Amino acid sequence: MKIQHIHGLAPLYTNTFLIITDAGHGILVDAAAAPQTYLDALKTQGAQLTHILLTHGHYDHVGAVAELRKATGCKVYMDPVDAVGSQMQPLTKELVDEPWPANGELKIDELTFKIYHTPGHTPGSVCLVCGNCMFSGDTLFAGSCGRTDLPGGSMVQMQQSLSLLAALPLPDDVNVLPGHEAFSTLGRERRSNPYLNGAWF
Ligand SMILES: [Zn+2]
């Protein structure tokens, strides 16, 4: 497995990630930027896009989904509750091929993604754990957490979701790869993030 960080466009600079399996299949975690950015990255890696995994439905994480799906026939996974068809959450249910598996595990080639439902930023937010990486979307940021004041947001749910993440049986050296800004590790967040270490509660 290879993983490449692809910076989104100004002004939001959403982090997205391209994962390439040993078989050369491309998996995007969020798809925010212009579709061509991703198609170019896939071409450079010699990979074929097969899956888009969406941490949530906000426009700055899904902007390239419709065109990429049309161009490649890839499957799109998201919690359908975030497919609202609004300006803020533009995807409609027709553009989401699969909800997350009920058993919380998605297997793609040699990889297993563990799916943790973490509502609070949006009702359909998830965090994905694959190997030593946690893709935390807009739920957990380095030193902070996502906002809860947008439509569908809930501070109570965010607190529950962050408690769940803090207590996961994962080692401290798991990389935390959020939807915006800096990367971190789970250990650093457990120790110093006031939203995760109990200071907030
Ligand atoms: Zn968001």
Side-chain angles (χ1 to χ4, degrees):
M1 151 185 164
K2 276 195 290 188
I3 180 164
Q4 182 186 348
H5 171 224
I6 301 175
H7 241 301
L9 304 175
L12 291 161
Y13 302 107
T14 307
N15 293 323
T16 65
F17 302 91
L18 173 60
I19 300 158
I20 316 274
T21 72
D22 292 346
H25 295 138
I27 304 162
L28 277 172
V29 177
D30 291 339
Q36 198 58 47
T37 308
Y38 301 110
L39 295 171
D40 290 347
L42 285 153
K43 198 172 174 189
T44 303
Q45 301 271 10
Q48 175 201 355
L49 185 64
T50 55
H51 295 75
I52 299 176
L53 313 182
L54 298 171
T55 61
H56 64 295
H58 277 156
Y59 69 98
D60 56 323
H61 295 252
V62 308
V65 168
E67 279 189 57
L68 288 174
R69 184 174 175 269
K70 201 169 157 193
T72 65
C74 68
K75 279 196 172 181
V76 177
Y77 284 73
M78 187 176 81
D79 189 323
V81 77
D82 268 13
V84 174
S86 65
Q87 192 176 9
M88 194 69 194
Q89 296 178 213
L91 289 195
T92 53
K93 292 201 167 41
E94 299 79 56
L95 285 167
V96 179
D97 297 289
E98 303 277 355
W100 298 113
N103 70 355
E105 277 193 12
L106 178 64
K107 289 183 188 295
I108 304 172
D109 295 341
E110 80 278 14
L111 304 177
T112 300
F113 290 84
K114 292 245 190 199
I115 318 298
Y116 297 99
H117 291 272
T118 52
H121 179 65
T122 66
S125 286
V126 295
C127 293
L128 310 172
V129 175
C130 180
N132 70 341
C133 292
M134 174 188 285
F135 302 95
S136 62
D138 288 3
T139 298
L140 175 60
F141 293 136
S144 177
C145 73
R147 52 194 288 192
T148 57
D149 60 325
L150 299 167
S154 160
M155 203 170 73
V156 171
Q157 286 186 323
M158 178 62 92
Q159 287 180 329
Q160 290 166 347
S161 294
L162 294 172
S163 297
L164 179 147
L165 293 182
L168 286 179
L170 293 172
D172 279 348
D173 64 358
V174 165
N175 296 295
V176 175
L177 307 174
H180 298 277
E181 301 187 356
F183 304 159
S184 185
T185 64
L186 196 52
R188 193 186 306 156
E189 296 313 300
R190 281 169 169 155
R191 281 192 305 276
S192 64
N193 185 328
Y195 299 95
L196 216 65
N197 68 6
W200 192 35
F201 299 98

